[in-house]
Structures are given as structure tokens and as C-alpha cells.
């Protein structure tokens, strides 16, 4: 039956036919009227049957047909094309989307760039070669959670791990190699997450770090951390029937669990019952890992008819949370489970909103048990040579735009767009203000048409005349949430009938009512809430809840109303009557503004943390009407955890909060990755201030995480301490700028900031020499940086020839390393030296400042404790003697 025809009466609809029924407007399936080969039509039918709503609505059929033809070309021309099974080709080569990135034409561009480079290689070597190509173009840099398109990442020359892995998957698929992005949603032993890539080679999936080439597959800096992961999974396009454990299925993707490829695992079965002991079916069960100050759901399942569900995970601890709506409220239950020790957990739905709970838990992650492939010294030398060459190629490209940035706005390779926009603008001041209103990532991939649309076609309601800051942030600004910003104001002003525009300009309520009447919810066909562009919602009259919120804000701004999605609560709001008012897009009648109370937290310094940071030490979540928890997203600050919301600045004197029930979670992370957790519920009532105690638990017998220090910080690298064995050599070393991470490698390291020529520093260095055997056996790097060039000139290298062979010398550039230590670790004085033990997950577990008796013995004590955590059994070989 041809696509577009109705199914015969009584015959079940295919996934494509069902999609056509749900999306009847906008002529979204017209591409099937185009002549195609049988292979092309089958591939297009597969894509259209399973693509999420945003991809169906926002991109043309011609766009997908070009991708299909390129994919078929690669399968025909690449030497491994005939070896790829249909299942792997359909699910891991053909799909365009990898993550939440904006789609582009990378497949065709990458195929032209890579086809000759990999044609003569084996499939195994081709995977490695494509990763070298990616490293030649992109290097890691953290950024916000919106994923740039592969071509934008190439143009920018850097990206976070989600963007690097999206790029590598796109590049591998471009040359016909099955690839998928896999990730741990949150690490169990530290506060972060990570994404990387698996590639299919001759019947087996192998992993690699994107844009981080290694000599062989199944090797990356994360071999050790991933052995401590609780869950590693990936979302496969379509209805996938491979050998992996299926966690869930949706109309667009199949989620599979691949933790068994990386760590020792065990299953746990969860049974949910009511207070009478009766099994409860279709109850939502969330498996939560402690990370970033909250219990984050890494897997969500529903109970079967017996009230049971299960999960296989790494051998560590999780919090299991089950919730079920009941009448006008809900009931919930929670409990801790240890995978590998517990086989079952029975949860009783015994708690209701008014219950006051207090719980303390010790959450333990899996032990490290890394697996490593064999690498020869020759392979390592050649790989290092290639990486250095690739760095120089990328740096040469970056140098072409570093001096062309505009007004301090870092657009990277997109600098010409910003320059053209500002130069063509009638009002340069307003153009610059618009650029400052959008995000840092927007500057790097925004298109000229978008900027011009929002500058030239913004209308302002008379009530907001003269309120420049409000206008720029919430009317001119194209950025609403996590969508790729696009032009839509001129479009709405031309496409919406004038009579309807007049209604919309009467009040935001008119826009809300129109949305409720005309936009149909299709959240089931966009389960990951990828944003649909505002223009796409207008054309298709379809949206998921998140896209509808973006659409409402975009339409309101186009009509001159200040509107936003609140960053803390996620609520859609309009600014009317001199205040922000909530907009309900799920209720027929406009809900009154939520009544507010306040939360005031008291805190007693536990001797380690004097001002707990939100996300890092604690978090607050609100119970929804169905019992599910929703995190309050307070400001992280421009530099992540070093700034942003904290106890003293946000909660000490009371923070406004909607009435309702909340969960306060705090955690003290120990060096072995375990967390001492304190949890309590509380109620916010309208017009009242609720007082609660913020508790940071402490274990005086364990090595604790004392604070954070960014391992990506730069310093001037002088060289190996032994190679610079004379004062003349140290003074003559020119130095190069490097990151701490690139010097130390992954894991723990020692950093010392020295005041050379001063007695405290000399004493500390002699203490370190006394522990040389221990430090060399430990094998981790020691970075000794002079506080400035004066300090460097005073260093007498001949006095410290016996420093450990793991020691490297450098200079603190403009005092930035010391400044961050002072800010983050709350150093009381300016005394030198400062020594820390930290790891490349940015956790500080030891600090010493000034004249310290027995520094070497202190270092020995901490290192021994760290190694005891890493190597807990006598059968394991540990580095420390």
C-alpha cells in the first residue's frame, strides 16, 4: 500500500499510517508523492514512522530524502557496506538524529570529507581514523545542555562531551559505520555525567571517547570511572529488537541498557504494594542515583499486573521511589537498595503529602574494577604524534578568528555573522544589547536571519514603553528555553490574520485561550520533549507540553507582551499588572497565580563546608500533583559551582516559594565516592515562612570532599622537575600554556602553589622529598607551580634534585590558580605554600596552607586512605607500598 493511502477497514494501522492520522495538518508527508526507488521509499517510511514530532514538523521531506540517498551511497561505496546487517544499518546508520541537536546536512559534508580517508582501511581502523578527524576539528570545552549541530560544532572547534559524541556518531554514520551515543545519565561516585560513542565493528560493539583518539578501541580516560557506573544506556531510533536489555519503548525510540559492557552488574526486583499489602499495577517506579545534590532518576519503569518491575545496574546503591495518584492527591513510598547485595525491595505506598519525613542514608557507589585493552609503546608514541599534529591543525584554524570577536562576545567561528548583523543594524546599541541577551552558545551558532528578525520586527505594547531591560530580556530576546533560536516574529505578523492579531494584542489570555482551542497535545510522539519550532507549531497545530510553552512565549513576544518560562520552576509566565503571572496551558480556565510562602534554612558550619552550594551540596524538589518530584532550578552562576545559588545568599534569610510540599536533600561526598545524605520533607503555606534545618553530615574518620577546583585551569608549563635540575634550566625554560588535566591525566593529583625561597615552601618540599618512594609508587602526578615569575627566579633546583619523578614545574598565570583556591576553599590568609590533593572530577580532598608540620605524613595518610578505598581487598594490587 502506498504511503498516504488509508488502511483497509479492519486492518491494523502501520506506525507510519498511525503517524499520518495524528498529524493531518501542514501536509507533512507530501514527500511520499516524490518518485523514489524501493530502497529509498522503505528507508523514508522507517524514518517518518519513528521520528519525533519536532523532526516531522520542522524539517522538510527533501531534507530527509537527501540523507537517505547519502546513506545508501555510503552503503554501496564503502568496503564494509555489504557487511552491515539490515538491523544495524536501519537503527544505527540511517537515522539523522543523535541527541537533542539541531539537525543539519553534516552527513553529506562529512561523507565528502572522509570517504577517501577511510576507504582503504579495515572497519576497525576506520573507526579510529574518523575519531582522529574529529579531534583535528574539535576539542572539549564545557557549555550548556543545548547540543549544537555537528556542523556548528565543527565551526566552533569545541564542544562538551554530548556535542563531541554527537559529532563522532554523525561522522561514523556518514561513512556507513553503525554508531550510537551512549551515556551514564549521572555518575554514582562523583557529581557529573558523561557521553561517549559505541561503534559496531564486525559483529561487536566497541567504545571510544569522542574527539579523544586512543591507539585502540575500548580505551578512554573513563575506563575506571565507568566501571563504577550504576547505569549506561542509549536510546535507539525506532522499534529495536537487538540482544541488549530493553528498558523501555516509546513510539519513537527503544531505550536499552548496556551497563554490562562496562561494569559488574546485578538485578533487583521491586514490588509495590498498598498498606494492605495488595500489589499495585501501573505504578511509576523511579531508580535514583545521588548526584549534584539530588537523587536523579536514571531509569523510570512501571509495575506489571503483579505490582513488580526490575532493573539491572552496577553494584552500588540507589534510592527507589514509587508514586501513584490517588483522588485529589497521591501516595508514595521510597527505599534504598544495594545492587549486588539485595535481590528484592518491597515498597509500600504509605506516605501522603502531609507526612513529615526525615531520613539519613549512606549511599555507596560501585567499587572500581577497570578493564583495559593492550596498547604497545609504539602505538602510544604514534598516537601522541598524531594528536599533536591534529592540535596544530585545529589551532591554526582557531587562530583565524580569535582576534575577530566583537564587543567581547565570543562567537568563535560564527564571528562574521555577528559582525554583519551589527554593521547592518540601524541601531547598533540595540543590536549589541540583543546579542548580550542570548546565550553564549547562541552566539556561536545563531543565524543572521534570526538576529535580524528579532531586532527589526519586534513590537512593543505601549504599557512597556521605556522599560528597556524588560523589553530586551523578554520581548526582543529570541531565547525562551533550550530550543535552537529561529526567526518567527515577521512570520507571525504576516501569517496570522489581522483580526486574530488584534485579539492577541488585547491580552495574553486571548493567546492562551487560542492555544487551548487549536493546539493538540502530541507528547507521546515527542517523549524526550525536543522543542518544536514556534513556526512549526503554528503550521501543524501540534505540540508537546514543553514546545507549547515555548510557542506561547514566542507568540506573546511577537505580539509585544513580555513572557518567559521561569528558570526556577519551569512555569510559563507573562508580565502584566507590574508582576509575573503564571499561565496555565493545561487548564480550560485561567488558574490564579500560585500563592507564595517562603523557605528559610538555618545551617551550622560542620567544619568542612561553611556555605553549602546549591546543586553541589543540596537541592530542593517539589512534589507534583501526581507525586513525582520536580527539581527547583536555581542559578548556577556563570562559572558553574564556584558561583551561583548557595545557602547564605539564597536561603538564609528566606527564599520565596509556591505553596506545596517539598523535599530537601543534602549530601556530604566522601573521597571514596560515598555520600552521607540527609533528607527531609516540609510544607510551604501561603503568606508564611517555613523554617527548616540544612544539615551537612560529617564522618571524621573518612576522607571527605572539601570543595572544588577546576582541573581545566591553565598554567605555564616549564617541564619535568628532574630535567630542570639546575636553577639556570628553570630560569631559561620558556614554558607553554597547558591545562592541569593535560599534564596530570585523569585521576587524583597533587598541586602545590609555591613561594620559592621562603622557608615554609622549602620545608614543604623537603617533606615531600622524604615521601618520595610513596609518591612515586602512587604514580599520580604532582604539579608544583611558582606563584609568579619572581618566585620562579628564587627557586634553587639543585636543593631539590630528589623531588619525586612524578613532579612537574610550572608558573601560575596572573595568580589565577591561587585566586580560585582562595575563593573556593575559603583560605583565611595569603600565606604560601598551598598544597591540595584533588582529582580531575574537580573534587578537593586535602588542603594545607603555610607552614605545616608533617606535610609529608599528611599526604601519606590521605593517599593511603584513597588507595584503600580503590583497592579494598587483599587480592588486588595497589600502588602504595
Amino acid at each position: 500500500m502506498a504511503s498516504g493511502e488509508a488502511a483497509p477497514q479492519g486492518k491494523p494501522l502501520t506506525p507510519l499510517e498511525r503517524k499520518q492520522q495524528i498529524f493531518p495538518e501542514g501536509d507533512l508527508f507530501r514527500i511520499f508523492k516524490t518518485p523514489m526507488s524501493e530502497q529509498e521509499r522503505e528507508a523514508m517510511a522507517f524514518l517518518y514512522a519513528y521520528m519525533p514530532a519536532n523532526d516531522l514538523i520542522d524539517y522538510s521531506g527533501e531534507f530527509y530524502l537527501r540523507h537517505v540517498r547519502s546513506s545508501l551511497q555510503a552503503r554501496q561505496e564503502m568496503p564494509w557496506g555489504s557487511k552491515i546487517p539490515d538491523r544495524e544499518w536501519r537503527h544505527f546508520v540511517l537515522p539523522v538524529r543523535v541527541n537533542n541537536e539541531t539537525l543539519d546536512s553534516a552527513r553529506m559534508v562529512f561523507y565528502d570529507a572522509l570517504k577517501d580517508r577511510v576507504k582503504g582501511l579495515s572497519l576497525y581502523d576506520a573507526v579510529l581514523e574518523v575519531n582522529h578527524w574529529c579531534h583535528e576539528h574539535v576539542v572539549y570545552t564545557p557549555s550548556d545542555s543545548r547540543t549544537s549541530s555537528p556542523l556548528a560544532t565543527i565551526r566552533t572547534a569545541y564542544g562538551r562531551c554530548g556535542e563531541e559524541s554527537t559529532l563522532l556518531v554523525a561522522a561514523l554514520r556518514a561513512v556507513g559505520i553503525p554508531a550510537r551515543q551512549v551515556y551514564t545519565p549521572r555518575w554514582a561516585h562523583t557529581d557529573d555525567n558523561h557521553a561517549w560513542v559505541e561503534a559496531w565493528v564486525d559483529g561487536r560493539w566497541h567504545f571510544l571517547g569522542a574527539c579523544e583518539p586512543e591507539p585502540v578501541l575500548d580505551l578512554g580516560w573513563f575506563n575506571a570511572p565507568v566501571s563504577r557506573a550504576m547505569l549506561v544506556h542509549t536510546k535507539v531510533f525506532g522499534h529495536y529488537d537487538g540482544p541488549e536489555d530493553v528498558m523501555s519503548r516509546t513510539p519513537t525510540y527503544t531505550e536499552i541498557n548496556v551497563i554490562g559492557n562496562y561494569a559488574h552488574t546485578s538485578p533487583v526486583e521491586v514490588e509495590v504494594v498498598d498498606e494492605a499489602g495488595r500489589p499495585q499495577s501501573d505504578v511509576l517506579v523511579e531508580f535514583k542515583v545521588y548526584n549534584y545534590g539530588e537523587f536523579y532518576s536514571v531509569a523510570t519503569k512501571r509495575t506489571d499486573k503483579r505490582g513488580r518491575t526490575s532493573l539491572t545496574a552496577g553494584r552500588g546503591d540507589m534510592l527507589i521511589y514509587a508514586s501513584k495518584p490517588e483522588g485529589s492527591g497521591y501516595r508514595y513510598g521510597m527505599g534504598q537498595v544495594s545492587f549486588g547485595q539485595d535481590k528484592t525491595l518491597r515498597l509500600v505506598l504509605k506516605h501522603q503529602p502531609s507526612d513529615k519525613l526525615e531520613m539519613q542514608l549512606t549511599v555507596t557507589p560501585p567499587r572500581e574494577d577497570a578493564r583495559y585493552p593492550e596498547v604497545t609503546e609504539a602505538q602510544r608514541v604514534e598516537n601522541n604524534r598524531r594528536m599533536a599534529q591534529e592540535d596544530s591543525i585545529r589551532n591554526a584554524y582557531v587562530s583565524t578568528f580569535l582576534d575577530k570577536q566583537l564587543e567581547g562576545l565570543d562567537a568563535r567561528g560564527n564571528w562574521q555573522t555577528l559582525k554583519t548583523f551589527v554593521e547592518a543594524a540601524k541601531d547598533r546599541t540595540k543590536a549589541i544589547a540583543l546579542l548580550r541577551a542570548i546565550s553564549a552558545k547562541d552566539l556561536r551558532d545563531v543565524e543572521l536571519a534570526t538576529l535580524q528578525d528579532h531586532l527589526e520586527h519586534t513590537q512593543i505594547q505601549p504599557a512597556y514603553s521605556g522599560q528597556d531591560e524588560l523589553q530586551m530580556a523578554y520581548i526582543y530576546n529570541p531565547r525562551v528555553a533550550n530550543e535552537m533560536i529561529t526567526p518567527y516574529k515577521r512570520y507571525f505578523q504576516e501569517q496570522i490574520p489581522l483580526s486574530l492579531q488584534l485579539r492577541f494584542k488585547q491580552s495574553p489570555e486571548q493567546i492562551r485561550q487560542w492555544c487551548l482551542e487549536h493546539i493538540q497535545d502530541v507528547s507521546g510522539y515527542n517523549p524526550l520533549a525536543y522543542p518544536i519550532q514556534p513556526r512549526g507549531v503554528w503550521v501543524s497545530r501540534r505540540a508537546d507540553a514543553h514546545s507549547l510553552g515555548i510557542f506561547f512565549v514566542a507568540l506573546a513576544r511577537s505580539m509585544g507582551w513580555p513572557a518567559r518560562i521561569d528558570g526556577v520552576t519551569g512555569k510559563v509566565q507573562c508580565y502584566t499588572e507590574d508582576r509575573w503571572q503564571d499561565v496555565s496551558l493545561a487548564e480550560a480556565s485561567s488558574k490564579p497565580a500560585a500563592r507564595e510562602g517562603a523557605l528559610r534554612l538555618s545551617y551550622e558550619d560542620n567544619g568542612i563546608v561553611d556555605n553549602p552550594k546549591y546543586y553541589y551540596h543540596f537541592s530542593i524538589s517539589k512534589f507534583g500533583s501526581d507525586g513525582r518530584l520536580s527539581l527547583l532550578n536555581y542559578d548556577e552562576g556563570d562559572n558553574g559551582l564556584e558561583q551561583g545559588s548557595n545557602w547564605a545568599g539564597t536561603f538564609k534569610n528566606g527564599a520565596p516559594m509556591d505553596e506545596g510540599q517539598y523535599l530537601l536533600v543534602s549530601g556530604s561526598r566522601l573521597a571514596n565516592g560515598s555520600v552521607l545524605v540527609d533528607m527531609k520533607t516540609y510544607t510551604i503555606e501561603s503568606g508564611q515562612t517555613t523554617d527548616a534545618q540544612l544539615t551537612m553530615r560529617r564522618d571524621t574518620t573518612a576522607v571527605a570532599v572539601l570543595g572544588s577546583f577546576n582541573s581545566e585551569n591553565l598554567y605555564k608549563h616549564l617541564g619535568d622537575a628532574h630535567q630542570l635540575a639546575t636553577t639556570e634550566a628553570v630560569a631559561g625554560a620558556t614554558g607553554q600554556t597547558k591545562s592541569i588535566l593535560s599534564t596530570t591525566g585523569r585521576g587524583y593529583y597533587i598541586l602545590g602553589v609555591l613561594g620559592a625561597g621562603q622557608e615554609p615552601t622549602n620545608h614543604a618540599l623537603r617533606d615531600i622529598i622524604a615521601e618520595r618512594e610513596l609518591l612515586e609508587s602512587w604514580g599520580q602526578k604532582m604539579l608544583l607551580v611558582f606563584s609568579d615569575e619572581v618566585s620562579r627566579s628564587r627557586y634553587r633546583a639543585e636543593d631539590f634534585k630528589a623531588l619525586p619523578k612524578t613532579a612537574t614545574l610550572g608558573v601560575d598565570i596572573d595568580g589565577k590558580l591561587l585566586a580560585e583556591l582562595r575563593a573556593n576553599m575559603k583560605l583565611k590568609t595569603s600565606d604560601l605554600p598551598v598544597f591540595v590533593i584533588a582529582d580531575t572530577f574537580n573534587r578537593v580532598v586535602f588542603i594545607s596552607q603555610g607552614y605545616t608540620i608533617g606535610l609529608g605524613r599528611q599526604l601519606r595518610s590521605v593517599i593511603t586512605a584513597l588507595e584503600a578505598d580503590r583497592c579494598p581487598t587483599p587480592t588486588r594490587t595497589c600502588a602504595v607500598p
Side-chain angles (χ1 to χ4, degrees):
M1 178 173 46
S3 299
E5 295 179 6
Q9 191 170 5
K11 184 178 179 180
L13 295 175
T14 67
L16 178 58
E17 290 163 349
R18 190 176 303 114
K19 193 77 122 342
Q20 290 170 315
Q21 282 194 352
I22 293 170
F23 295 88
E25 299 191 54
D27 199 13
L28 302 177
F29 301 87
R30 60 185 176 275
I31 188 63
F32 289 100
K33 299 172 185 176
T34 302
M36 304 180 210
S37 69
E38 182 179 350
Q39 280 187 311
E40 292 169 350
R41 188 167 295 274
E42 289 177 352
M44 288 289 285
F46 175 74
L47 290 179
Y48 268 77
Y50 294 108
M51 66 175 60
N54 68 312
D55 289 351
L56 173 65
I57 293 169
D58 290 338
Y59 300 91
S60 71
E62 289 74 18
F63 172 85
Y64 292 112
L65 186 55
R66 288 196 298 272
H67 278 265
V68 164
R69 287 171 173 165
S70 181
S71 182
L72 291 169
Q73 178 185 3
R75 194 177 195 187
Q76 180 180 2
E77 295 181 357
M78 290 294 102
W80 46 79
S82 59
K83 301 177 184 178
I84 307 300
D86 288 344
R87 182 183 65 194
E88 278 64 35
W89 183 82
R90 184 181 303 111
H91 292 282
F92 302 110
V93 177
L94 178 62
V96 184
R97 177 165 299 285
V98 178
N99 193 308
N100 66 344
E101 77 277 15
T102 302
L103 303 187
D104 62 19
S105 298
R107 185 186 298 265
M108 287 68 79
V109 175
F110 291 176
Y111 182 71
D112 288 341
L114 286 164
K115 61 181 180 180
D116 293 333
R117 188 161 171 164
V118 300
K119 241 180 183 178
L121 302 176
S122 68
L123 186 52
Y124 185 103
D125 289 338
V127 172
L128 295 173
E129 186 63 30
V130 171
N131 204 22
H132 276 289
W133 180 85
C134 289
H135 176 251
E136 189 177 297
H137 290 84
V138 175
V139 69
Y140 172 80
T141 299
S143 63
D144 65 43
S145 61
R146 180 175 70 82
T147 306
S148 295
S149 72
L151 289 178
T153 300
I154 289 282
R155 185 168 63 249
T156 298
Y158 60 41
R160 58 177 175 79
C161 64
E163 287 162 330
E164 289 183 311
S165 52
T166 297
L167 168 66
L168 177 55
V169 170
L172 289 168
R173 290 179 179 178
V175 290
I177 300 174
R180 61 196 186 193
Q181 181 191 60
V182 299
Y183 47 96
T184 175
R186 297 289 175 96
W187 293 119
H189 69 288
T190 193
D191 293 320
D192 206 350
N193 60 1
H194 191 53
W196 58 95
V197 173
E198 286 185 347
W200 187 93
V201 177
D202 300 330
R204 181 184 159 204
W205 288 98
H206 296 265
F207 74 85
L208 64 164
C211 304
E212 298 170 333
E214 294 285 355
V216 296
L217 297 177
D218 300 319
L219 181 62
W221 65 261
F222 50 90
N223 281 60
V226 78
S227 73
R228 307 189 71 185
M230 291 297 297
L231 186 70
V232 176
H233 62 161
T234 184
K235 294 177 172 63
V236 183
F237 188 97
H239 188 94
Y240 175 65
D241 59 354
E244 298 90 347
D245 176 35
V246 173
M247 295 176 61
S248 64
R249 293 189 189 276
T250 76
T252 66
Y253 67 83
T254 304
E255 185 176 12
I256 59 173
N257 186 358
V258 295
I259 180 65
N261 294 346
Y262 302 92
H264 298 293
T265 65
S266 291
V268 164
E269 183 176 72
V270 179
E271 180 186 22
V272 180
V273 299
D274 63 12
E275 290 186 277
R278 292 171 298 205
Q280 299 294 292
S281 63
D282 199 34
V283 173
L284 197 70
V285 178
E286 298 178 70
F287 297 79
K288 294 175 175 284
V289 169
Y290 181 89
N291 189 287
Y292 278 133
E294 68 162 325
F295 279 103
Y296 179 85
S297 295
V298 296
T300 301
K301 295 198 170 188
R302 287 193 175 272
T303 55
D304 59 19
K305 293 180 180 179
R306 302 177 302 147
R308 298 181 182 184
T309 188
S310 64
L311 180 72
T312 297
R315 293 175 181 173
D317 294 351
M318 283 193 192
L319 181 73
I320 314 299
Y321 179 85
S323 58
K324 182 179 182 180
E326 182 180 83
S328 60
Y330 55 86
R331 285 190 174 269
Y332 66 94
M334 67 174 79
Q336 184 178 9
V337 67
S338 294
F339 287 80
Q341 298 181 32
D342 303 323
K343 295 185 181 300
T344 61
L345 175 70
R346 196 180 209 217
L347 284 182
V348 181
L349 299 176
K350 61 182 179 180
H351 299 302
Q352 49 190 337
S354 58
D355 289 352
K356 187 177 178 67
L357 301 181
E358 292 192 15
M359 299 174 62
Q360 289 193 334
L361 308 172
T362 299
V363 180
T364 303
R367 294 286 186 183
E368 178 184 317
D369 190 12
R371 311 166 187 174
Y372 292 99
E374 182 178 346
V375 179
T376 67
E377 182 61 25
Q379 286 175 314
R380 176 59 63 194
V381 169
E382 173 60 14
N383 195 71
N384 289 342
R385 182 196 69 78
R386 290 201 62 182
M387 289 186 68
Q389 181 184 43
E390 290 150 14
D391 285 339
S392 67
I393 293 171
R394 184 180 59 256
N395 291 337
Y397 163 66
V398 171
S399 68
T400 64
F401 56 69
L402 281 183
D403 61 346
K404 298 180 176 68
Q405 304 309 303
L406 178 71
E407 298 279 340
L409 299 168
D410 184 10
R412 302 284 289 179
N414 201 36
W415 66 271
Q416 185 65 61
T417 296
L418 270 59
K419 181 174 184 289
T420 302
F421 169 64
V422 172
E423 289 178 348
K426 296 178 181 177
D427 188 334
R428 178 187 173 93
T429 300
K430 190 163 285 186
I432 294 294
L434 178 60
L435 293 177
R436 297 193 185 283
I438 61 180
S439 73
K441 185 173 288 184
D442 291 335
L443 297 174
R444 303 198 294 265
D445 63 5
V446 66
E447 296 182 351
L448 181 61
T450 298
L451 295 172
Q452 291 176 333
D453 175 76
H454 290 274
L455 181 65
E456 298 170 7
H457 298 283
T458 292
Q459 303 174 354
I460 306 293
Q461 290 281 342
Y464 308 108
S465 177
Q467 301 184 50
D468 293 346
E469 291 187 11
L470 188 70
Q471 289 181 23
M472 191 54 65
Y474 302 112
I475 304 179
Y476 276 96
N477 191 356
R479 163 65 52 220
V480 178
N482 63 332
E483 78 282 10
M484 176 67 183
I485 56 177
T486 56
Y488 53 74
K489 285 178 179 166
R490 180 179 178 181
Y491 176 84
F492 285 152
Q493 291 158 14
E494 292 178 346
Q495 295 298 316
I496 298 176
L498 290 178
S499 59
L500 189 55
Q501 289 191 48
L502 290 175
R503 275 182 54 194
F504 290 166
K505 291 178 181 180
Q506 289 175 13
S507 73
E509 174 62 15
Q510 294 292 327
I511 302 175
R512 189 187 80 87
Q513 289 290 347
W514 186 91
C515 289
L516 290 172
E517 293 170 10
H518 293 88
I519 305 300
Q520 182 175 321
D521 181 73
V522 289
S523 296
Y525 282 85
N526 198 12
L528 295 172
Y530 295 141
I532 303 172
Q533 294 177 12
R535 289 172 58 166
V537 175
W538 174 262
V539 169
S540 68
R541 300 295 201 264
R542 300 293 185 272
D544 57 278
H546 179 56
S547 299
L548 181 58
I550 294 172
F551 173 75
F552 174 88
V553 172
L555 188 52
R557 290 181 183 179
S558 298
M559 298 298 115
W561 298 105
R564 72 180 186 185
I565 295 179
D566 181 66
V568 175
T569 64
K571 295 189 295 187
V572 178
Q573 297 178 325
C574 260
Y575 192 83
T576 57
E577 300 176 359
D578 297 324
R579 64 189 177 92
W580 287 105
Q581 302 201 46
D582 297 345
V583 176
S584 173
L585 295 171
E587 305 287 341
S589 59
S590 182
K591 295 173 66 176
R595 295 185 294 178
E596 281 190 349
L599 172 66
R600 182 168 54 209
L601 295 178
S602 59
Y603 173 70
E604 183 177 342
D605 191 337
N606 70 348
I608 294 178
V609 180
D610 62 347
N611 183 20
K613 299 179 177 68
Y614 197 80
Y615 298 116
Y616 189 66
H617 297 113
F618 72 102
S619 68
I620 299 169
S621 297
K622 188 176 189 297
F623 287 91
S625 59
D626 58 356
R628 296 196 71 180
L629 291 162
S630 178
L631 181 70
L632 301 186
N633 294 297
Y634 287 92
D635 180 29
E636 291 186 50
D638 292 336
N639 295 316
L641 298 174
E642 288 72 38
Q643 298 180 8
S645 299
N646 52 48
W647 164 71
T650 309
F651 299 98
K652 181 179 181 180
N653 298 316
M657 209 164 283
D658 291 349
E659 63 180 0
Q661 279 70 43
Y662 292 83
L663 177 67
L664 170 63
V665 176
S666 63
S668 300
R669 178 82 71 177
L670 304 180
N672 67 0
S674 296
V675 187
L676 307 177
V677 176
D678 184 88
M679 297 194 300
K680 51 178 67 78
T681 62
Y682 62 88
T683 301
I684 296 294
E685 296 182 2
S686 178
Q688 298 185 24
T689 296
T690 297
D691 287 295
Q693 175 74 32
L694 176 60
T695 302
M696 296 299 301
R697 296 170 59 198
R698 181 178 177 186
D699 181 351
T700 57
T701 66
V703 179
V705 177
L706 308 179
S708 61
F709 181 75
N710 187 2
S711 62
E712 298 280 354
N713 278 323
L714 303 177
Y715 76 102
K716 183 187 289 185
H717 176 79
L718 300 179
D720 181 271
H722 279 270
Q723 293 177 349
L724 303 173
T726 67
T727 299
E728 290 77 11
V730 173
T734 57
Q736 59 174 314
T737 300
K738 293 186 66 175
S739 70
I740 293 173
L741 173 60
S742 67
T743 301
T744 63
R746 294 285 176 174
Y748 282 101
Y749 62 91
I750 297 173
L751 170 68
V753 182
L754 312 180
Q758 301 173 357
E759 176 52 29
T761 290
N762 293 345
H763 186 92
L765 293 179
R766 293 188 186 102
D767 266 6
I768 287 171
I769 289 172
E771 297 292 348
R772 172 178 174 172
E773 181 182 0
L774 166 107
L775 295 169
E776 289 182 348
S777 298
W778 188 37
Q780 302 300 111
K781 289 289 188 179
M782 172 182 291
L783 177 57
L784 304 174
V785 297
F786 304 109
S787 59
D788 52 33
E789 290 293 346
V790 174
S791 178
R792 172 189 183 181
S793 68
R794 293 174 178 170
Y795 179 69
R796 290 176 53 84
E798 56 267 32
D799 293 341
F800 307 106
K801 291 181 179 179
L803 280 171
K805 294 179 181 179
T806 53
T808 296
L809 299 180
V811 180
D812 190 359
I813 301 172
D814 299 327
K816 291 181 178 178
L817 301 184
L818 187 57
E820 181 170 330
L821 286 171
R822 285 172 176 162
N824 289 4
M825 304 306 301
K826 302 297 188 292
L827 302 183
K828 301 288 190 288
T829 69
S830 59
D831 293 347
L832 293 174
V834 175
F835 279 86
V836 302
I837 298 178
D839 69 7
T840 47
F841 287 106
N842 301 336
R843 308 179 303 175
V844 177
V845 298
F846 170 82
I847 186 162
S848 168
Q849 182 180 19
Y851 186 78
T852 302
I853 300 297
L855 173 65
R857 291 195 300 273
Q858 293 180 44
L859 293 174
R860 170 180 281 274
S861 175
V862 175
I863 291 170
T864 302
L866 293 175
E867 285 296 293
D869 288 330
R870 189 174 70 87
C871 306
T873 64
T875 59
R876 295 275 304 275
T877 301
C878 298
V880 176

